[in-house]
Amino acid sequence: MRTIRRDGWTAADYDSEQILHQLGHRDAAARVNRARRRHPLRRAWRTLRAQLSRPAAAETPEPVIDWAAARAAADAINRGDGDEADRIIKATVDPRTTAFAAFRFIDVH
């Protein structure tokens, strides 16, 4: 009878061996060792499949700041008219960046 190396076996490996013995397999330890072998082709295929299925990164568009609207919204805020400033900002192409740009002009004299 040949000796099978069991380096690095986990509890699951020993359980698998016992189950295979109970099922009547003579080479249970060899089967467990074969299952533990590295599978470089499988790993390479998984990596390649993940790269191919991953959607391409979309280009982030350059933020569009409407400086005139930002200045007008800041003037409305300085007057205390928040609703007017909100209406001006929401009417722009990129309300978020225009609103941040409006902060530059708040309380500036």
Side-chain angles (χ1 to χ4, degrees):
M1 183 172 156
R2 65 179 187 196
T3 304
I4 301 292
R5 294 186 63 181
R6 291 179 172 89
D7 295 341
W9 274 34
T10 62
D13 295 329
Y14 286 107
D15 289 343
S16 297
E17 182 189 20
Q18 292 302 314
I19 290 169
L20 288 171
H21 270 300
Q22 289 173 0
L23 292 175
H25 293 282
R26 291 182 321 137
D27 57 349
R31 284 180 178 232
V32 172
N33 270 339
R34 219 175 299 129
R36 290 184 51 81
R37 261 193 255 149
R38 295 191 183 272
H39 302 281
L41 184 61
R42 210 180 283 171
R43 180 177 292 136
W45 171 246
R46 281 189 201 126
T47 303
L48 180 63
R49 187 176 53 198
Q51 289 176 353
L52 292 176
S53 66
R54 189 175 302 143
E59 291 186 25
T60 307
E62 196 66 30
V64 179
I65 299 172
D66 186 350
W67 289 103
R71 190 175 294 274
D75 290 341
I77 292 292
N78 289 335
R79 288 191 313 268
D81 191 2
D83 293 332
E84 175 67 14
D86 189 48
R87 186 191 62 74
I88 292 170
I89 292 295
K90 285 185 178 177
T92 62
V93 175
D94 193 354
R96 185 170 185 262
T97 55
T98 305
F100 277 110
F103 279 108
R104 292 183 175 193
F105 304 113
I106 293 177
D107 289 331
V108 176
H109 301 287

